[in-house]
């Protein structure tokens, strides 16, 4: 596997000889920007989405990604409506 290290020392992207791309953060599969485990088209497998080592479906990952600012819903000004 070829190791491509990002500027953040905890983040790593590995590319295997069969075309898989694996993104790690702090030793766990994790990526906010793209699938953490991407397969080559020849393997005919779906990409896998992980956040801090936990696997999500694409829809769950998109929802978590949208809400990643870390503010609880009750304190988020976008969630509370004003009358």
């Amino acid at each position: 596997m070829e190791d491509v290290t990002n500027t953040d020392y905890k983040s790593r992207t590995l590319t295997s000889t069969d075309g898989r791309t694996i993104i790690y953060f702090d030793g766990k599969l994790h990526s906010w920007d793209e699938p953490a485990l991407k397969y080559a088209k020849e393997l005919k497998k779906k990409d896998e989405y992980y956040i801090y080592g936990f696997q999500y479906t694409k829809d769950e990952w998109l929802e978590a990604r949208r809400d990643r600012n870390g503010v609880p819903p009750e304190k988020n000004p976008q969630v509370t409506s004003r009358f």
Side-chain angles (χ1 to χ4, degrees), residues 4 9 20 24-25 32 40 48 59-60 67 75-76 83:
V4 180
Y9 70 95
R20 288 179 295 161
Y24 285 99
F25 176 77
W32 287 112
E48 297 178 21
D59 292 335
E60 291 169 340
D67 294 334
K75 293 185 178 182
N76 188 345
F83 294 101

Side-chain angles (χ1 to χ4, degrees), residues 30-36 49-52 56-71 76 78:
H30 171 79
S31 178
W32 287 112
D33 302 323
E34 57 186 322
Y49 298 86
Y50 289 85
I51 299 174
Y52 300 114
Y56 292 88
T57 64
K58 185 174 183 179
D59 292 335
E60 291 169 340
W61 177 79
L62 288 170
E63 183 67 26
R65 184 176 178 228
R66 187 173 62 116
D67 294 334
R68 69 180 175 173
N69 63 3
V71 178
N76 188 345
Q78 296 175 343

Side-chain angles (χ1 to χ4, degrees), residues 1-39:
M1 294 188 139
E2 177 186 334
D3 181 15
V4 180
T5 305
N6 294 337
T7 56
D8 181 5
Y9 70 95
K10 292 183 177 183
S11 185
R12 277 193 150 169
T13 301
L14 303 172
T15 303
S16 68
T17 55
D18 63 355
R20 288 179 295 161
T21 302
I22 304 163
I23 301 173
Y24 285 99
F25 176 77
D26 201 21
K28 299 173 185 149
L29 286 168
H30 171 79
S31 178
W32 287 112
D33 302 323
E34 57 186 322
L37 184 55
K38 293 189 289 187
Y39 293 99

